[in-house]
Amino acid sequence: MENGSFPLINMELLESTRRPDAMAVLRDACENWGFFELLNHGISHELMDKVERLTKEHYRRFQEQRFREFASKTLEAGEDKKIVDNLDWESTFFIRHLPVSNIADIPDLEGDHRATMKEFAVELEKLAERLLDLLCEDLGLEKGYLKKAFLGSDGFPTFGTKVSNYPPCPRPELFRGLRAHTDAGGIILLFQDDKVSGLQLLKDGRWVDVPPLRHSIVVNLGDQLEVITNRRYKSVMHRVVAQTDGNRMSIASFYNPGSDAVIFPAPVLVDQQEKETYPKFVFEDYMSLYVRQKFQAKEPRFEAMKAPIPTA
């Protein structure tokens, strides 16, 4: 990685004599960027190509017309700042994988697409767990610590995929593809369009493009990893900028704690940093606050979690 350039990690290097170099990039990415991009991550290009083809076909057949109707009404109201400030220029649906899958209930998903998304989710889950162990290694935590920290009382994390399309926007000066936010959860794995850009992260006060690379997986860290690492790692604000040309595909998979998982800074990291920066809380309590404050700064959410839970 060149100094200051977006962090790219070739995972094949982790199995070679250059492993220390790759781990150094990973550490810098987690501590200073909150984002990195993986190459040679083990998910077959053939599967990724199939996911992309079926996802783009699905949008054209089942979502595009609905989005055009939404866009027409939205553009009519385009000068109303109150409306514009609370809208995202995106077409999206969500698939839950764990603890219980809802993929059979997603309307308009044809059999081949359904099966392909299930296969892709299995591969992403394995990759997320491999990454969590690499983070444990970097942090000096015992192997499996982060995976265990994410488990709910049912023995599962929460794992799901947001499938989004960001169609061309004739008024990008008015609308954002997706408003700036940090992600609430754990580790996020993104398969994004390699031809249409738009994803940006906030670094050192300026917006930086996340480069679209074919067959890469973009990874970013959520708020819960910031808490568990006692701010050693950081979740960062990111957004999608609406484009005038091209329809950007985004398939973001969220490997998050189970709803009743109790989240708190890892004791070994508190000892290293001399003080505990974050409170202990239940993940679903954080999420109930996050859904109301997603597009606001994260710090007040963390502060709110310090308040004692009122008793009935």
Side-chain angles (χ1 to χ4, degrees), residues 133-197:
D133 276 341
L134 288 170
L135 299 185
C136 284
E137 180 183 337
D138 176 56
L139 292 161
L141 300 172
E142 65 184 46
K143 187 175 182 181
Y145 180 94
L146 290 173
K147 182 182 175 184
K148 200 182 298 180
F150 280 28
L151 297 183
S153 59
D154 57 6
F156 292 102
T158 304
F159 183 47
T161 297
K162 179 186 176 188
V163 181
S164 304
N165 281 271
Y166 296 93
C169 179
R171 302 281 309 272
E173 75 282 3
L174 284 180
F175 298 97
R176 290 171 277 307
L178 180 60
R179 289 163 283 168
H181 63 286
T182 63
D183 286 327
I187 192 164
I188 299 88
L189 297 92
L190 169 68
F191 174 27
Q192 68 166 344
D193 204 293
D194 67 310
K195 296 181 177 65
V196 185
S197 63

Side-chain angles (χ1 to χ4, degrees), residues 10-219:
N10 178 350
M11 293 192 77
E12 285 184 347
L13 298 184
L14 293 166
E15 312 302 326
S16 75
T17 55
R18 293 184 60 194
R19 180 183 177 86
D21 296 338
M23 290 299 292
V25 176
L26 180 66
R27 170 174 289 188
D28 178 66
C30 293
E31 292 184 354
N32 299 309
W33 291 76
F35 268 77
F36 52 94
E37 200 154 2
L38 298 176
L39 303 172
N40 298 314
H41 40 66
I43 302 176
S44 83
H45 292 180
E46 182 183 29
L47 176 58
M48 296 180 81
D49 289 344
K50 189 174 183 184
V51 167
E52 180 174 4
R53 176 175 58 78
L54 292 172
T55 298
K56 289 183 173 180
E57 280 177 11
H58 178 267
Y59 174 76
R60 283 193 296 270
R61 292 181 60 194
F62 299 109
Q63 294 178 285
E64 188 170 33
Q65 186 53 42
R66 281 200 297 269
F67 185 82
R68 283 181 175 169
E69 290 163 10
F70 157 81
S72 175
K73 290 177 188 166
T74 303
L75 286 165
E76 282 174 24
E79 300 302 330
D80 187 333
K81 191 165 167 48
K82 211 178 285 184
I83 293 174
V84 169
D85 285 350
N86 291 290
L87 280 177
D88 300 307
W89 192 268
E90 66 172 353
S91 171
T92 181
F93 65 94
F94 191 84
I95 304 169
R96 189 175 63 248
H97 310 301
L98 292 173
V100 179
S101 173
N102 73 342
I103 197 165
D105 305 323
I106 305 294
D108 305 327
L109 268 195
E110 295 183 335
D112 192 24
H113 194 186
R114 213 178 294 268
T116 302
M117 293 304 288
K118 283 171 78 171
E119 183 184 353
F120 190 45
V122 168
E123 294 300 313
L124 288 167
E125 184 185 354
K126 286 191 290 192
L127 179 58
E129 291 176 355
R130 184 183 174 196
L131 284 168
L132 288 177
D133 276 341
L134 288 170
L135 299 185
C136 284
E137 180 183 337
D138 176 56
L139 292 161
L141 300 172
E142 65 184 46
K143 187 175 182 181
Y145 180 94
L146 290 173
K147 182 182 175 184
K148 200 182 298 180
F150 280 28
L151 297 183
S153 59
D154 57 6
F156 292 102
T158 304
F159 183 47
T161 297
K162 179 186 176 188
V163 181
S164 304
N165 281 271
Y166 296 93
C169 179
R171 302 281 309 272
E173 75 282 3
L174 284 180
F175 298 97
R176 290 171 277 307
L178 180 60
R179 289 163 283 168
H181 63 286
T182 63
D183 286 327
I187 192 164
I188 299 88
L189 297 92
L190 169 68
F191 174 27
Q192 68 166 344
D193 204 293
D194 67 310
K195 296 181 177 65
V196 185
S197 63
L199 178 61
Q200 296 181 329
L201 66 96
L202 190 63
K203 184 171 185 338
D204 301 328
R206 66 186 186 93
W207 290 102
V208 177
D209 290 328
V210 177
L213 292 177
R214 186 144 184 80
H215 297 135
S216 72
I217 296 287
V218 175
V219 178

